[in-house]
Amino acid sequence: MSKSLKRVTQALTDAGLSASILEMDGETRTAAQAAEQAGCALDQIAKSIIFQGADSGTIYLFVTAGGNMVDADKAAQLVGEPLGRADGKTVRAVTGFAIGGVSPVGHLSPPHSFFDPRLMAFDTVWAAAGTPRHIFEIAPADLQRISGAKTGDFTQ
C-alpha cells in the first residue's frame, strides 16, 4: 500500500469511519473516469482541485462535484486573493499527493478547504483516496466534517 493511500485510510479510521477504499481497473484521473468505474453520477465524484494564492503562496483546496468547474474569480473572492493553479511539485510537497490522486483528507499539511454544496444532494459521494487508482465512498456531510472544508460559492 502506498504512503498516500495509507494516510487517507488512517484519516478515515481516525475520524471513526470505516469507508471501503476501492482500487479501480485503470486510472481515475478525471471525474468522468471515476464515475464510470464507480457506477455513479458524475456529480457524485468529489473532485479535489488545488489552487495557490498569487500573493501569499497559500495552497487552497476546493472540493467540488464532478460536473462542476471551479470559477477562479469566485474562488479568489472567497479566499481574498488572486489565485493560480498550483504546479505538481508544490501540490505534492504540501498535500503529499500527486495531481490526479489528491484526496480531500490525509494531507501532509491540511490546506484551507472549501466545499461545493452540490455534493450535499447525494447520500454518498466518491473521492480520490490518494492515488489515481483508488477512490472511497463517503457521506458528503462526513467528508466535509473530516476535511474541515467550509461551504462556499466557487463554481460556475
Side-chain angles (χ1 to χ4, degrees), residues 23-97:
E23 183 171 0
M24 301 284 90
D25 294 333
E27 293 185 348
T28 54
R29 288 187 184 271
T30 70
Q33 289 171 329
E36 182 178 332
Q37 291 203 33
C40 68
L42 179 61
D43 278 353
Q44 280 182 274
I45 300 300
K47 298 187 298 190
S48 294
I49 308 298
I50 301 283
F51 281 89
Q52 187 168 16
D55 298 330
S56 69
T58 300
I59 295 298
Y60 299 97
L61 169 66
F62 295 88
V63 182
T64 186
N68 284 348
M69 299 290 290
V70 174
D71 181 307
D73 291 333
K74 285 182 177 180
Q77 190 170 34
L78 192 62
V79 304
E81 70 174 309
L83 295 173
R85 286 281 180 150
D87 64 66
K89 185 177 177 181
T90 301
V91 170
R92 186 179 285 280
V94 173
T95 69
F97 303 119

Short mmCIF file of all heavy atoms in Angstrom, two decimals, residues 23-97:
data_model
loop_
_atom_site.label_atom_id
_atom_site.label_comp_id
_atom_site.label_asym_id
_atom_site.label_seq_id
_atom_site.Cartn_x
_atom_site.Cartn_y
_atom_site.Cartn_z
N GLU A 23 -9.98 -0.15 -5.46
CA GLU A 23 -8.97 0.01 -6.49
C GLU A 23 -9.67 -0.18 -7.83
O GLU A 23 -10.35 -1.18 -8.06
CB GLU A 23 -7.84 -1.01 -6.34
CG GLU A 23 -6.75 -0.81 -7.37
CD GLU A 23 -5.52 -1.66 -7.11
OE1 GLU A 23 -5.50 -2.42 -6.13
OE2 GLU A 23 -4.58 -1.54 -7.91
N MET A 24 -9.51 0.78 -8.70
CA MET A 24 -10.18 0.77 -9.99
C MET A 24 -9.36 0.02 -11.04
O MET A 24 -8.15 -0.13 -10.90
CB MET A 24 -10.43 2.20 -10.46
CG MET A 24 -11.27 3.04 -9.50
SD MET A 24 -13.03 2.67 -9.52
CE MET A 24 -13.21 1.42 -8.30
N ASP A 25 -10.04 -0.40 -12.08
CA ASP A 25 -9.40 -1.05 -13.23
C ASP A 25 -8.85 0.03 -14.14
O ASP A 25 -9.46 0.35 -15.14
CB ASP A 25 -10.39 -1.91 -14.01
CG ASP A 25 -10.90 -3.09 -13.21
OD1 ASP A 25 -10.18 -3.56 -12.32
OD2 ASP A 25 -12.02 -3.54 -13.49
N GLY A 26 -7.75 0.60 -13.81
CA GLY A 26 -7.20 1.70 -14.59
C GLY A 26 -7.27 2.98 -13.80
O GLY A 26 -7.81 3.02 -12.70
N GLU A 27 -6.73 4.01 -14.37
CA GLU A 27 -6.66 5.28 -13.66
C GLU A 27 -8.02 5.98 -13.59
O GLU A 27 -8.86 5.80 -14.45
CB GLU A 27 -5.65 6.20 -14.34
CG GLU A 27 -4.23 5.68 -14.20
CD GLU A 27 -3.21 6.63 -14.75
OE1 GLU A 27 -3.57 7.60 -15.45
OE2 GLU A 27 -2.02 6.40 -14.48
N THR A 28 -8.15 6.76 -12.54
CA THR A 28 -9.36 7.58 -12.36
C THR A 28 -8.92 9.03 -12.19
O THR A 28 -9.29 9.69 -11.25
CB THR A 28 -10.17 7.11 -11.15
OG1 THR A 28 -9.32 7.08 -10.00
CG2 THR A 28 -10.77 5.75 -11.37
N ARG A 29 -8.11 9.51 -13.14
CA ARG A 29 -7.59 10.88 -13.05
C ARG A 29 -8.66 11.92 -13.35
O ARG A 29 -8.50 13.08 -12.99
CB ARG A 29 -6.41 11.07 -14.00
CG ARG A 29 -5.16 10.37 -13.53
CD ARG A 29 -3.97 10.72 -14.41
NE ARG A 29 -2.79 9.98 -14.02
CZ ARG A 29 -1.92 10.38 -13.11
NH1 ARG A 29 -2.11 11.52 -12.49
NH2 ARG A 29 -0.88 9.65 -12.82
N THR A 30 -9.73 11.55 -14.03
CA THR A 30 -10.81 12.50 -14.31
C THR A 30 -12.07 12.07 -13.58
O THR A 30 -12.25 10.89 -13.26
CB THR A 30 -11.11 12.60 -15.82
OG1 THR A 30 -11.71 11.37 -16.24
CG2 THR A 30 -9.84 12.88 -16.63
N ALA A 31 -12.94 13.04 -13.34
CA ALA A 31 -14.20 12.74 -12.67
C ALA A 31 -15.04 11.77 -13.51
O ALA A 31 -15.68 10.87 -12.97
CB ALA A 31 -14.97 14.03 -12.41
N ALA A 32 -15.02 11.94 -14.82
CA ALA A 32 -15.80 11.05 -15.69
C ALA A 32 -15.29 9.62 -15.60
O ALA A 32 -16.10 8.67 -15.53
CB ALA A 32 -15.75 11.55 -17.14
N GLN A 33 -13.98 9.42 -15.57
CA GLN A 33 -13.42 8.07 -15.43
C GLN A 33 -13.82 7.47 -14.09
O GLN A 33 -14.20 6.29 -14.01
CB GLN A 33 -11.90 8.11 -15.53
CG GLN A 33 -11.36 8.39 -16.90
CD GLN A 33 -9.84 8.63 -16.87
OE1 GLN A 33 -9.29 9.13 -15.89
NE2 GLN A 33 -9.19 8.30 -17.97
N ALA A 34 -13.73 8.25 -13.03
CA ALA A 34 -14.07 7.76 -11.70
C ALA A 34 -15.56 7.41 -11.61
O ALA A 34 -15.92 6.36 -11.07
CB ALA A 34 -13.71 8.79 -10.64
N ALA A 35 -16.42 8.26 -12.16
CA ALA A 35 -17.87 8.00 -12.12
C ALA A 35 -18.22 6.73 -12.89
O ALA A 35 -19.05 5.93 -12.44
CB ALA A 35 -18.63 9.19 -12.68
N GLU A 36 -17.60 6.55 -14.03
CA GLU A 36 -17.86 5.36 -14.84
C GLU A 36 -17.48 4.10 -14.06
O GLU A 36 -18.25 3.14 -14.00
CB GLU A 36 -17.08 5.42 -16.15
CG GLU A 36 -17.36 4.25 -17.06
CD GLU A 36 -16.61 4.35 -18.38
OE1 GLU A 36 -16.33 5.47 -18.84
OE2 GLU A 36 -16.31 3.28 -18.94
N GLN A 37 -16.33 4.11 -13.45
CA GLN A 37 -15.88 2.92 -12.73
C GLN A 37 -16.63 2.70 -11.43
O GLN A 37 -16.84 1.56 -11.02
CB GLN A 37 -14.37 3.00 -12.50
CG GLN A 37 -13.63 2.87 -13.83
CD GLN A 37 -12.22 2.40 -13.64
OE1 GLN A 37 -11.90 1.64 -12.75
NE2 GLN A 37 -11.36 2.86 -14.53
N ALA A 38 -17.05 3.77 -10.76
CA ALA A 38 -17.80 3.63 -9.51
C ALA A 38 -19.27 3.32 -9.77
O ALA A 38 -19.97 2.90 -8.86
CB ALA A 38 -17.68 4.91 -8.68
N GLY A 39 -19.73 3.56 -11.01
CA GLY A 39 -21.14 3.33 -11.32
C GLY A 39 -22.04 4.35 -10.67
O GLY A 39 -23.13 4.03 -10.20
N CYS A 40 -21.58 5.60 -10.64
CA CYS A 40 -22.37 6.66 -10.00
C CYS A 40 -22.52 7.83 -10.96
O CYS A 40 -21.93 7.86 -12.04
CB CYS A 40 -21.69 7.11 -8.71
SG CYS A 40 -20.13 7.97 -8.93
N ALA A 41 -23.31 8.80 -10.53
CA ALA A 41 -23.49 10.02 -11.31
C ALA A 41 -22.20 10.85 -11.29
O ALA A 41 -21.45 10.81 -10.30
CB ALA A 41 -24.64 10.85 -10.73
N LEU A 42 -21.96 11.61 -12.33
CA LEU A 42 -20.76 12.44 -12.42
C LEU A 42 -20.64 13.38 -11.22
O LEU A 42 -19.56 13.54 -10.65
CB LEU A 42 -20.77 13.24 -13.73
CG LEU A 42 -19.60 14.19 -13.96
CD1 LEU A 42 -18.27 13.44 -14.01
CD2 LEU A 42 -19.80 14.98 -15.25
N ASP A 43 -21.75 13.98 -10.80
CA ASP A 43 -21.70 14.93 -9.68
C ASP A 43 -21.47 14.25 -8.33
O ASP A 43 -21.25 14.93 -7.33
CB ASP A 43 -22.95 15.79 -9.63
CG ASP A 43 -22.88 16.97 -10.59
OD1 ASP A 43 -21.80 17.20 -11.19
OD2 ASP A 43 -23.89 17.68 -10.73
N GLN A 44 -21.51 12.92 -8.27
CA GLN A 44 -21.18 12.20 -7.03
C GLN A 44 -19.68 12.04 -6.84
O GLN A 44 -19.25 11.56 -5.79
CB GLN A 44 -21.83 10.82 -7.01
CG GLN A 44 -23.29 10.85 -6.62
CD GLN A 44 -23.86 9.46 -6.55
OE1 GLN A 44 -24.31 8.92 -7.56
NE2 GLN A 44 -23.84 8.87 -5.38
N ILE A 45 -18.91 12.47 -7.81
CA ILE A 45 -17.46 12.45 -7.66
C ILE A 45 -17.04 13.76 -7.01
O ILE A 45 -17.34 14.85 -7.51
CB ILE A 45 -16.76 12.27 -9.03
CG1 ILE A 45 -17.18 10.96 -9.69
CG2 ILE A 45 -15.25 12.38 -8.87
CD1 ILE A 45 -16.85 9.70 -8.88
N ALA A 46 -16.38 13.66 -5.87
CA ALA A 46 -15.88 14.84 -5.15
C ALA A 46 -14.46 15.12 -5.63
O ALA A 46 -13.51 14.48 -5.18
CB ALA A 46 -15.92 14.59 -3.65
N LYS A 47 -14.35 16.05 -6.57
CA LYS A 47 -13.04 16.41 -7.12
C LYS A 47 -12.28 17.29 -6.14
O LYS A 47 -12.87 18.17 -5.51
CB LYS A 47 -13.19 17.19 -8.43
CG LYS A 47 -13.86 16.46 -9.55
CD LYS A 47 -13.80 17.24 -10.86
CE LYS A 47 -14.51 18.57 -10.81
NZ LYS A 47 -14.64 19.21 -12.15
N SER A 48 -10.99 17.07 -6.04
CA SER A 48 -10.12 17.90 -5.22
C SER A 48 -9.29 18.77 -6.16
O SER A 48 -8.40 18.28 -6.84
CB SER A 48 -9.19 17.03 -4.37
OG SER A 48 -9.92 16.29 -3.43
N ILE A 49 -9.61 20.05 -6.19
CA ILE A 49 -8.92 21.00 -7.06
C ILE A 49 -8.07 21.92 -6.19
O ILE A 49 -8.57 22.54 -5.25
CB ILE A 49 -9.94 21.83 -7.88
CG1 ILE A 49 -10.96 20.93 -8.61
CG2 ILE A 49 -9.21 22.77 -8.84
CD1 ILE A 49 -10.35 19.98 -9.63
N ILE A 50 -6.79 21.99 -6.53
CA ILE A 50 -5.85 22.79 -5.75
C ILE A 50 -5.49 24.07 -6.50
O ILE A 50 -5.14 24.03 -7.68
CB ILE A 50 -4.56 22.00 -5.47
CG1 ILE A 50 -4.84 20.70 -4.71
CG2 ILE A 50 -3.53 22.87 -4.75
CD1 ILE A 50 -5.11 20.87 -3.25
N PHE A 51 -5.59 25.20 -5.80
CA PHE A 51 -5.12 26.48 -6.30
C PHE A 51 -4.09 27.03 -5.32
O PHE A 51 -4.05 26.63 -4.16
CB PHE A 51 -6.28 27.49 -6.43
CG PHE A 51 -7.14 27.29 -7.64
CD1 PHE A 51 -8.24 26.46 -7.60
CD2 PHE A 51 -6.84 27.95 -8.82
CE1 PHE A 51 -9.04 26.28 -8.71
CE2 PHE A 51 -7.64 27.77 -9.94
CZ PHE A 51 -8.74 26.93 -9.89
N GLN A 52 -3.30 27.99 -5.82
CA GLN A 52 -2.31 28.63 -4.98
C GLN A 52 -2.54 30.13 -5.00
O GLN A 52 -2.78 30.72 -6.06
CB GLN A 52 -0.90 28.31 -5.50
CG GLN A 52 0.20 28.80 -4.60
CD GLN A 52 1.55 28.22 -4.99
OE1 GLN A 52 1.73 27.70 -6.08
NE2 GLN A 52 2.52 28.33 -4.09
N GLY A 53 -2.48 30.75 -3.82
CA GLY A 53 -2.63 32.19 -3.73
C GLY A 53 -1.50 32.90 -4.44
O GLY A 53 -0.33 32.60 -4.20
N ALA A 54 -1.85 33.83 -5.32
CA ALA A 54 -0.85 34.56 -6.10
C ALA A 54 0.00 35.47 -5.22
O ALA A 54 1.17 35.70 -5.52
CB ALA A 54 -1.53 35.37 -7.20
N ASP A 55 -0.58 35.98 -4.15
CA ASP A 55 0.14 36.90 -3.27
C ASP A 55 0.84 36.16 -2.13
O ASP A 55 2.01 36.39 -1.85
CB ASP A 55 -0.81 37.94 -2.66
CG ASP A 55 -1.46 38.81 -3.73
OD1 ASP A 55 -0.83 39.04 -4.78
OD2 ASP A 55 -2.60 39.26 -3.50
N SER A 56 0.13 35.23 -1.49
CA SER A 56 0.64 34.58 -0.28
C SER A 56 1.37 33.26 -0.55
O SER A 56 2.14 32.80 0.28
CB SER A 56 -0.51 34.30 0.68
OG SER A 56 -1.37 33.30 0.13
N GLY A 57 1.06 32.62 -1.69
CA GLY A 57 1.60 31.29 -1.95
C GLY A 57 0.84 30.20 -1.22
O GLY A 57 1.17 29.02 -1.32
N THR A 58 -0.19 30.58 -0.47
CA THR A 58 -1.00 29.62 0.28
C THR A 58 -1.71 28.66 -0.66
O THR A 58 -2.18 29.04 -1.72
CB THR A 58 -2.06 30.39 1.12
OG1 THR A 58 -1.38 31.26 2.02
CG2 THR A 58 -2.96 29.45 1.90
N ILE A 59 -1.78 27.40 -0.24
CA ILE A 59 -2.48 26.37 -1.01
C ILE A 59 -3.92 26.29 -0.52
O ILE A 59 -4.18 26.26 0.68
CB ILE A 59 -1.79 25.00 -0.83
CG1 ILE A 59 -0.39 25.04 -1.42
CG2 ILE A 59 -2.61 23.88 -1.45
CD1 ILE A 59 -0.33 25.32 -2.92
N TYR A 60 -4.85 26.26 -1.48
CA TYR A 60 -6.28 26.16 -1.19
C TYR A 60 -6.85 24.94 -1.90
O TYR A 60 -6.54 24.69 -3.07
CB TYR A 60 -7.03 27.41 -1.69
CG TYR A 60 -6.57 28.69 -1.03
CD1 TYR A 60 -5.65 29.52 -1.66
CD2 TYR A 60 -7.07 29.07 0.20
CE1 TYR A 60 -5.22 30.70 -1.07
CE2 TYR A 60 -6.65 30.26 0.80
CZ TYR A 60 -5.73 31.06 0.16
OH TYR A 60 -5.31 32.23 0.74
N LEU A 61 -7.68 24.19 -1.20
CA LEU A 61 -8.35 23.01 -1.76
C LEU A 61 -9.83 23.33 -1.95
O LEU A 61 -10.49 23.80 -1.03
CB LEU A 61 -8.21 21.83 -0.80
CG LEU A 61 -9.06 20.60 -1.08
CD1 LEU A 61 -8.66 19.93 -2.39
CD2 LEU A 61 -8.98 19.61 0.07
N PHE A 62 -10.33 23.05 -3.15
CA PHE A 62 -11.74 23.21 -3.46
C PHE A 62 -12.30 21.83 -3.80
O PHE A 62 -11.88 21.23 -4.79
CB PHE A 62 -11.93 24.19 -4.63
CG PHE A 62 -11.49 25.58 -4.29
CD1 PHE A 62 -10.17 25.97 -4.48
CD2 PHE A 62 -12.38 26.48 -3.73
CE1 PHE A 62 -9.74 27.25 -4.13
CE2 PHE A 62 -11.96 27.76 -3.37
CZ PHE A 62 -10.64 28.14 -3.58
N VAL A 63 -13.19 21.33 -2.95
CA VAL A 63 -13.81 20.02 -3.17
C VAL A 63 -15.12 20.29 -3.88
O VAL A 63 -16.03 20.90 -3.31
CB VAL A 63 -14.04 19.28 -1.83
CG1 VAL A 63 -14.65 17.90 -2.09
CG2 VAL A 63 -12.73 19.16 -1.05
N THR A 64 -15.20 19.84 -5.13
CA THR A 64 -16.35 20.19 -5.95
C THR A 64 -16.97 18.96 -6.61
O THR A 64 -16.31 17.95 -6.82
CB THR A 64 -15.96 21.24 -7.01
OG1 THR A 64 -17.14 21.67 -7.70
CG2 THR A 64 -14.97 20.71 -8.00
N ALA A 65 -18.26 19.07 -6.92
CA ALA A 65 -18.97 18.00 -7.62
C ALA A 65 -18.35 17.79 -9.00
O ALA A 65 -17.92 18.75 -9.65
CB ALA A 65 -20.44 18.36 -7.76
N GLY A 66 -18.30 16.54 -9.44
CA GLY A 66 -17.62 16.16 -10.68
C GLY A 66 -18.01 16.93 -11.91
O GLY A 66 -17.16 17.17 -12.77
N GLY A 67 -19.25 17.35 -12.03
CA GLY A 67 -19.69 18.07 -13.21
C GLY A 67 -19.49 19.57 -13.12
O GLY A 67 -19.72 20.29 -14.10
N ASN A 68 -19.09 20.06 -11.97
CA ASN A 68 -18.88 21.49 -11.78
C ASN A 68 -17.43 21.87 -12.05
O ASN A 68 -16.53 21.06 -11.88
CB ASN A 68 -19.26 21.92 -10.35
CG ASN A 68 -20.75 21.99 -10.14
OD1 ASN A 68 -21.53 21.93 -11.09
ND2 ASN A 68 -21.17 22.12 -8.90
N MET A 69 -17.24 23.12 -12.41
CA MET A 69 -15.90 23.68 -12.60
C MET A 69 -15.70 24.77 -11.54
O MET A 69 -16.63 25.51 -11.22
CB MET A 69 -15.78 24.31 -13.99
CG MET A 69 -15.98 23.34 -15.13
SD MET A 69 -14.63 22.18 -15.31
CE MET A 69 -13.35 23.25 -15.88
N VAL A 70 -14.49 24.87 -11.03
CA VAL A 70 -14.18 25.95 -10.11
C VAL A 70 -14.06 27.24 -10.92
O VAL A 70 -13.34 27.29 -11.91
CB VAL A 70 -12.87 25.67 -9.33
CG1 VAL A 70 -12.49 26.88 -8.48
CG2 VAL A 70 -13.01 24.42 -8.48
N ASP A 71 -14.79 28.25 -10.51
CA ASP A 71 -14.72 29.58 -11.11
C ASP A 71 -13.61 30.33 -10.37
O ASP A 71 -13.75 30.65 -9.18
CB ASP A 71 -16.07 30.29 -10.95
CG ASP A 71 -16.09 31.67 -11.56
OD1 ASP A 71 -15.21 32.49 -11.23
OD2 ASP A 71 -17.00 31.95 -12.35
N ALA A 72 -12.50 30.59 -11.05
CA ALA A 72 -11.33 31.18 -10.41
C ALA A 72 -11.64 32.54 -9.78
O ALA A 72 -11.10 32.87 -8.72
CB ALA A 72 -10.18 31.30 -11.40
N ASP A 73 -12.51 33.33 -10.40
CA ASP A 73 -12.86 34.64 -9.85
C ASP A 73 -13.66 34.50 -8.55
O ASP A 73 -13.38 35.19 -7.57
CB ASP A 73 -13.63 35.48 -10.86
CG ASP A 73 -12.77 35.90 -12.05
OD1 ASP A 73 -11.53 36.02 -11.88
OD2 ASP A 73 -13.34 36.10 -13.14
N LYS A 74 -14.65 33.60 -8.55
CA LYS A 74 -15.43 33.37 -7.33
C LYS A 74 -14.56 32.80 -6.22
O LYS A 74 -14.68 33.18 -5.06
CB LYS A 74 -16.60 32.41 -7.60
CG LYS A 74 -17.75 32.99 -8.36
CD LYS A 74 -18.83 31.94 -8.50
CE LYS A 74 -20.06 32.45 -9.19
NZ LYS A 74 -21.10 31.39 -9.30
N ALA A 75 -13.68 31.87 -6.59
CA ALA A 75 -12.80 31.26 -5.61
C ALA A 75 -11.85 32.31 -5.02
O ALA A 75 -11.61 32.33 -3.81
CB ALA A 75 -12.02 30.11 -6.24
N ALA A 76 -11.32 33.18 -5.86
CA ALA A 76 -10.43 34.24 -5.40
C ALA A 76 -11.14 35.18 -4.44
O ALA A 76 -10.58 35.60 -3.42
CB ALA A 76 -9.86 35.01 -6.58
N GLN A 77 -12.38 35.49 -4.76
CA GLN A 77 -13.16 36.36 -3.88
C GLN A 77 -13.38 35.68 -2.53
O GLN A 77 -13.31 36.32 -1.48
CB GLN A 77 -14.50 36.69 -4.55
CG GLN A 77 -15.27 37.77 -3.86
CD GLN A 77 -16.46 38.22 -4.68
OE1 GLN A 77 -17.09 37.43 -5.38
NE2 GLN A 77 -16.79 39.49 -4.58
N LEU A 78 -13.61 34.39 -2.55
CA LEU A 78 -13.84 33.61 -1.34
C LEU A 78 -12.62 33.61 -0.43
O LEU A 78 -12.73 33.77 0.78
CB LEU A 78 -14.23 32.18 -1.72
CG LEU A 78 -14.78 31.27 -0.66
CD1 LEU A 78 -16.08 31.80 -0.08
CD2 LEU A 78 -15.01 29.88 -1.25
N VAL A 79 -11.42 33.47 -1.01
CA VAL A 79 -10.20 33.38 -0.20
C VAL A 79 -9.54 34.74 0.04
O VAL A 79 -8.66 34.86 0.89
CB VAL A 79 -9.17 32.40 -0.79
CG1 VAL A 79 -9.79 31.02 -0.96
CG2 VAL A 79 -8.57 32.89 -2.10
N GLY A 80 -9.93 35.75 -0.73
CA GLY A 80 -9.40 37.09 -0.51
C GLY A 80 -8.09 37.41 -1.19
O GLY A 80 -7.40 38.35 -0.79
N GLU A 81 -7.75 36.65 -2.23
CA GLU A 81 -6.56 36.96 -3.02
C GLU A 81 -6.67 36.30 -4.39
O GLU A 81 -7.40 35.32 -4.55
CB GLU A 81 -5.28 36.51 -2.31
CG GLU A 81 -5.06 35.02 -2.23
CD GLU A 81 -3.70 34.65 -1.66
OE1 GLU A 81 -2.67 35.17 -2.14
OE2 GLU A 81 -3.67 33.82 -0.73
N PRO A 82 -5.95 36.84 -5.39
CA PRO A 82 -5.95 36.21 -6.70
C PRO A 82 -5.38 34.79 -6.61
O PRO A 82 -4.52 34.52 -5.77
CB PRO A 82 -5.04 37.10 -7.55
CG PRO A 82 -4.86 38.36 -6.78
CD PRO A 82 -5.11 38.04 -5.35
N LEU A 83 -5.89 33.91 -7.47
CA LEU A 83 -5.45 32.51 -7.45
C LEU A 83 -4.87 32.09 -8.78
O LEU A 83 -5.26 32.56 -9.83
CB LEU A 83 -6.64 31.59 -7.13
CG LEU A 83 -7.27 31.75 -5.76
CD1 LEU A 83 -8.53 30.90 -5.66
CD2 LEU A 83 -6.28 31.38 -4.66
N GLY A 84 -3.96 31.15 -8.71
CA GLY A 84 -3.42 30.48 -9.89
C GLY A 84 -3.36 29.00 -9.59
O GLY A 84 -3.46 28.58 -8.43
N ARG A 85 -3.21 28.20 -10.64
CA ARG A 85 -3.08 26.76 -10.43
C ARG A 85 -1.74 26.47 -9.77
O ARG A 85 -0.72 27.05 -10.13
CB ARG A 85 -3.14 26.00 -11.77
CG ARG A 85 -4.51 25.93 -12.38
CD ARG A 85 -5.32 24.87 -11.69
NE ARG A 85 -6.63 24.83 -12.32
CZ ARG A 85 -7.36 23.75 -12.39
NH1 ARG A 85 -6.93 22.62 -11.91
NH2 ARG A 85 -8.54 23.79 -12.95
N ALA A 86 -1.75 25.57 -8.82
CA ALA A 86 -0.51 25.15 -8.18
C ALA A 86 0.15 24.09 -9.07
O ALA A 86 -0.54 23.24 -9.64
CB ALA A 86 -0.80 24.58 -6.80
N ASP A 87 1.47 24.15 -9.19
CA ASP A 87 2.15 23.15 -10.01
C ASP A 87 2.23 21.82 -9.24
O ASP A 87 2.05 21.77 -8.02
CB ASP A 87 3.55 23.64 -10.42
CG ASP A 87 4.48 23.85 -9.25
OD1 ASP A 87 4.84 22.87 -8.57
OD2 ASP A 87 4.85 25.01 -9.00
N GLY A 88 2.50 20.76 -9.99
CA GLY A 88 2.53 19.42 -9.42
C GLY A 88 3.51 19.25 -8.28
O GLY A 88 3.22 18.56 -7.30
N LYS A 89 4.66 19.89 -8.39
CA LYS A 89 5.68 19.78 -7.34
C LYS A 89 5.18 20.40 -6.03
O LYS A 89 5.35 19.83 -4.95
CB LYS A 89 6.97 20.47 -7.81
CG LYS A 89 8.11 20.33 -6.86
CD LYS A 89 9.37 20.98 -7.44
CE LYS A 89 10.53 20.91 -6.45
NZ LYS A 89 11.73 21.54 -6.97
N THR A 90 4.54 21.56 -6.13
CA THR A 90 4.00 22.23 -4.95
C THR A 90 2.86 21.43 -4.35
O THR A 90 2.79 21.26 -3.13
CB THR A 90 3.53 23.65 -5.31
OG1 THR A 90 4.63 24.39 -5.83
CG2 THR A 90 2.95 24.37 -4.10
N VAL A 91 1.98 20.91 -5.21
CA VAL A 91 0.85 20.11 -4.72
C VAL A 91 1.37 18.92 -3.93
O VAL A 91 0.92 18.64 -2.82
CB VAL A 91 -0.06 19.65 -5.89
CG1 VAL A 91 -1.08 18.62 -5.42
CG2 VAL A 91 -0.76 20.85 -6.51
N ARG A 92 2.35 18.20 -4.48
CA ARG A 92 2.89 17.03 -3.78
C ARG A 92 3.59 17.42 -2.48
O ARG A 92 3.43 16.75 -1.46
CB ARG A 92 3.84 16.24 -4.66
CG ARG A 92 4.29 14.95 -3.96
CD ARG A 92 5.21 14.09 -4.77
NE ARG A 92 4.61 13.36 -5.84
CZ ARG A 92 3.93 12.22 -5.71
NH1 ARG A 92 3.71 11.71 -4.52
NH2 ARG A 92 3.46 11.61 -6.77
N ALA A 93 4.34 18.52 -2.49
CA ALA A 93 5.08 18.94 -1.30
C ALA A 93 4.14 19.30 -0.15
O ALA A 93 4.41 18.97 1.01
CB ALA A 93 5.98 20.13 -1.63
N VAL A 94 3.03 19.97 -0.46
CA VAL A 94 2.12 20.42 0.59
C VAL A 94 1.13 19.34 0.99
O VAL A 94 0.90 19.10 2.17
CB VAL A 94 1.37 21.70 0.15
CG1 VAL A 94 0.29 22.09 1.16
CG2 VAL A 94 2.35 22.85 -0.04
N THR A 95 0.53 18.67 0.00
CA THR A 95 -0.51 17.70 0.31
C THR A 95 0.02 16.28 0.50
O THR A 95 -0.59 15.48 1.19
CB THR A 95 -1.59 17.66 -0.80
OG1 THR A 95 -1.02 17.08 -1.99
CG2 THR A 95 -2.16 19.03 -1.08
N GLY A 96 1.12 15.96 -0.18
CA GLY A 96 1.62 14.59 -0.16
C GLY A 96 1.03 13.74 -1.26
O GLY A 96 1.32 12.55 -1.36
N PHE A 97 0.20 14.35 -2.11
CA PHE A 97 -0.46 13.62 -3.19
C PHE A 97 -0.04 14.16 -4.55
O PHE A 97 0.21 15.35 -4.71
CB PHE A 97 -1.99 13.77 -3.09
CG PHE A 97 -2.57 13.31 -1.78
CD1 PHE A 97 -3.24 14.20 -0.97
CD2 PHE A 97 -2.45 11.99 -1.36
CE1 PHE A 97 -3.79 13.79 0.25
CE2 PHE A 97 -2.99 11.57 -0.15
CZ PHE A 97 -3.67 12.47 0.66
#
